[in-house]
Amino acid sequence: MQLVKLKELCDFEKGSTGLAKAEPGDYPLVTTGAERKSCDTYQFNTKAVCIPLVSSTGHGHASLKNVHYQEGKFALGSILVALTSKDESKLDIQFLHLYLSQLKDQVLVPLMSGAANVALSVKKIQAIEIPLPPIDRQREIVDRFKSIVAEEEELKNELNLQQTLLKKLRQQILQEAIEGKLTADWRAQNPDVEPATELLKRIAAEKAKLVKEKKIKAQKPLPPLTEKEKPFELPLGWEWCRLEESGVFERGRSKHRPRNDPQLFKDGHFPFVQTGDVARSKKNGFKVNTFSQKYNDFGLAQSRVWSKGTLCITIAANIAETGFLGLDACFPDSVVGFTSINKLTNSIYVKYFIDATREEIEKFAPATAQKNINLGIINKLSFPMPPINEQQAIVAKVQKLLALCDQLEIQITQNQIHADQLMPAVLNEAFNNNSPPKNTSPIPEAAHAKPT
């Protein structure tokens, strides 16, 4: 394809409107930003590509966020230059805008120079060589680009909708799990399991034994649940209770202040997990394996080690995030650890309950900059307790359904990657190949499949 310098194709004229002195009016005012301002006078009455002559970020960094196309009567800021076509039978100015705007980081930004004030000179822009196909081909590329932009927008809207539907589907699965709707068939096939009332009695007896042995602290009795605190009707064999009755909930320990005192961590070897690590665990199958610091013996003395597999619930910053320790670790009092007594409660079911009710739990946090709740709020939550065998059936069912959701999410992500890669591929073909661009829709068939 023929390469031609811009100075042979275009006229160049710098803007004359000082942005600080411009009076608002009826004409668009093109500035370095994405949005147009207005002006009471105009400088141009034509089609033009408008290029900023200064870096978008400054501070010694070369960058251009916008290369504009403008037509009709308009004003131009004094730190931009307008390029107009000398001969519209040779250069379609929209083709030039397409080329420079899409390839600005490869074509324009490398030409910028300067220390503190990074700038782009008109002389350097004039020397740029662009591929110049015949005028009909230029117009064909522009029309195809407009069509692809519309299709790409449709695709991205579709993928965003699918992500929203998938999020709702996950939430619906968890909600139906804690309401017993997912295991209605299981109950019909297993009518003789021990009811949750008996299970709660066994948990209470075991807790009393641990208190007597001074292995856990006695909890103040909580008031019985009122009917208003029972948000839905439970299946036969289930029982409403306070979440505290399902096992032992304890805050992490971090008695020393300030918490990040270097004395706690020098030459440390006990992993110290924080709220951010719990929040990040969702990317690793909800296994909390990350930590940025380790307690030494002095740090451990004002904390404690929690066993691998402990369910962690955050009560500060990221409220009600959950994950399971993937290693023995310490954590601060902004994290609550749940311990199931003799496996009489399934910790994963407790996690599903917290996940399902997270939005409601967050409402307990005061409207302050630092969001937090206390352990008492966790203990008092209304908890739908199923028989232990049904808890295990619920966990198996939810894991299977969420695995299907994960597969759908992978498919959506792949389609998003495809969408992001499509435009550069099409433009590369358009600017480097004399053959017409392929008339193939950028929307993969898989992108049209909505989660159900």
Side-chain angles (χ1 to χ4, degrees):
M1 187 180 296
Q2 180 185 11
L3 295 176
V4 184
K5 290 184 178 181
L6 287 182
K7 66 180 180 181
E8 299 175 17
L9 299 169
C10 300
D11 291 316
F12 291 72
E13 185 175 349
K14 293 183 69 174
S16 61
T17 303
L19 302 184
K21 297 180 180 180
E23 293 290 336
D26 297 331
Y27 305 104
L29 171 58
V30 180
T31 69
T32 57
E35 300 298 325
R36 300 292 188 268
K37 295 185 178 181
S38 69
C39 191
D40 60 348
T41 60
Y42 68 91
Q43 180 182 354
F44 298 92
N45 185 11
T46 185
K47 300 175 182 178
V49 174
C50 304
I51 303 174
L53 298 174
V54 295
S55 173
S56 300
T57 53
H59 306 292
H61 182 258
S63 69
L64 281 181
K65 290 184 179 179
N66 304 291
V67 173
H68 301 290
Y69 170 78
Q70 187 66 46
E71 60 182 58
K73 296 178 179 179
F74 67 94
L76 183 65
S78 58
I79 53 175
L80 296 94
V81 63
L83 282 64
T84 55
S85 178
K86 289 182 176 181
D87 185 346
E88 293 187 355
S89 67
K90 292 183 178 180
L91 174 66
D92 185 311
I93 204 68
Q94 291 190 64
F95 171 80
L96 177 61
H97 174 255
L98 174 60
Y99 182 85
L100 293 178
S101 63
Q102 296 299 314
L103 300 178
K104 62 183 185 299
D105 291 334
Q106 294 81 23
V107 175
L108 293 170
V109 172
L111 301 179
M112 304 183 84
S113 60
N117 299 315
V118 181
L120 178 63
S121 71
V122 172
K123 186 175 181 180
K124 287 183 178 179
I125 299 174
Q126 291 174 333
I128 292 173
E129 293 184 331
I130 67 165
L132 191 68
I135 190 65
D136 290 343
R137 173 82 170 100
Q138 293 177 43
R139 291 168 181 162
E140 181 183 358
I141 290 171
V142 170
D143 289 342
R144 181 60 182 141
F145 174 78
K146 292 178 179 178
S147 173
I148 290 174
V149 167
E151 292 173 350
E152 186 180 43
E153 185 67 22
E154 178 186 349
L155 172 58
K156 289 183 177 179
N157 289 339
E158 176 73 15
L159 295 174
N160 288 337
L161 174 61
Q162 290 183 15
Q163 287 284 18
T164 300
L165 292 174
L166 187 57
K167 183 178 179 180
K168 290 181 178 179
L169 177 59
R170 291 181 188 275
Q171 184 65 26
Q172 182 181 348
I173 290 169
L174 295 174
Q175 188 62 39
E176 292 190 359
I178 66 172
E179 291 182 12
K181 293 179 180 179
L182 293 185
T183 43
D185 291 343
W186 184 92
R187 285 192 299 278
Q189 297 169 12
N190 298 270
D192 300 324
V193 298
E194 177 191 60
T197 50
E198 295 301 314
L199 176 61
L200 287 167
K201 290 177 183 177
R202 288 204 285 146
I203 294 173
E206 291 294 330
K207 289 180 76 171
K209 182 180 177 182
L210 292 173
V211 170
K212 187 176 181 179
E213 295 171 352
K214 297 184 178 181
K215 293 182 179 179
I216 62 172
K217 293 181 179 180
Q219 298 288 327
K220 292 181 180 179
L222 295 173
L225 284 167
T226 64
E227 289 304 314
K228 288 184 178 180
E229 293 179 288
K230 302 174 182 178
F232 47 83
E233 186 175 348
L234 293 179
L236 186 66
W238 290 42
E239 188 71 18
W240 281 109
C241 65
R242 300 288 184 186
L243 184 56
E244 184 268 337
E245 297 177 68
S246 66
V248 179
F249 292 85
E250 299 172 284
R251 292 179 71 168
R253 297 178 188 172
S254 184
K255 298 176 184 177
H256 198 281
R257 294 294 188 273
R259 182 180 299 168
N260 290 323
D261 188 334
Q263 295 180 67
L264 304 174
F265 303 102
K266 184 178 180 181
D267 300 323
H269 46 279
F270 300 102
F272 178 60
V273 165
Q274 302 191 64
T275 56
D277 298 302
V278 179
R280 284 189 291 272
S281 71
K282 66 182 66 175
K283 297 180 180 180
N284 188 36
F286 295 98
K287 292 292 185 183
V288 185
N289 290 324
T290 63
F291 52 90
S292 56
Q293 296 173 302
K294 292 182 179 181
Y295 273 149
N296 53 29
D297 290 336
F298 175 64
L300 180 63
Q302 54 88 56
S303 185
R304 65 169 278 192
V305 176
W306 297 77
S307 299
K308 177 180 178 180
T310 297
L311 173 62
C312 299
I313 306 164
T314 61
I315 58 173
N318 304 301
I319 295 175
E321 295 277 11
T322 56
F324 294 93
L325 287 181
L327 69 172
D328 294 348
C330 306
F331 50 74
D333 55 7
S334 54
V335 178
V336 168
F338 170 72
T339 303
S340 175
I341 300 176
N342 292 340
K343 298 184 179 180
L344 294 177
T345 305
N346 191 305
S347 296
I348 301 177
Y349 175 74
V350 175
K351 170 186 162 49
Y352 290 158
F353 167 76
I354 297 292
D355 293 346
T357 56
R358 185 183 178 198
E359 287 187 6
E360 293 301 312
I361 296 172
E362 287 179 320
K363 292 178 182 178
F364 288 102
T368 58
Q370 179 65 40
K371 297 287 186 182
N372 62 82
I373 57 176
N374 58 46
L375 178 58
I377 289 171
I378 295 291
N379 283 333
K380 284 189 262 187
L381 292 173
S382 303
F383 181 63
M385 173 69 91
I388 183 58
N389 290 341
E390 189 166 354
Q391 291 180 41
Q392 295 163 355
I394 289 169
V395 168
K397 182 82 175 213
V398 171
Q399 287 178 333
K400 182 177 179 180
L401 292 173
L402 292 184
L404 292 174
C405 290
D406 291 341
Q407 292 176 15
L408 282 172
E409 187 159 20
I410 291 172
Q411 187 178 51
I412 292 170
T413 301
Q414 289 173 339
N415 288 333
Q416 288 174 327
I417 293 171
H418 175 89
D420 292 339
Q421 293 175 340
L422 177 74
M423 186 62 73
V426 171
L427 291 173
N428 180 66
E429 179 184 17
F431 295 135
N432 296 291
N433 191 335
N434 284 314
S435 61
K438 296 177 182 177
N439 189 25
T440 303
S441 170
I443 304 177
E445 291 183 9
H448 294 292
K450 295 184 176 67
T452 56

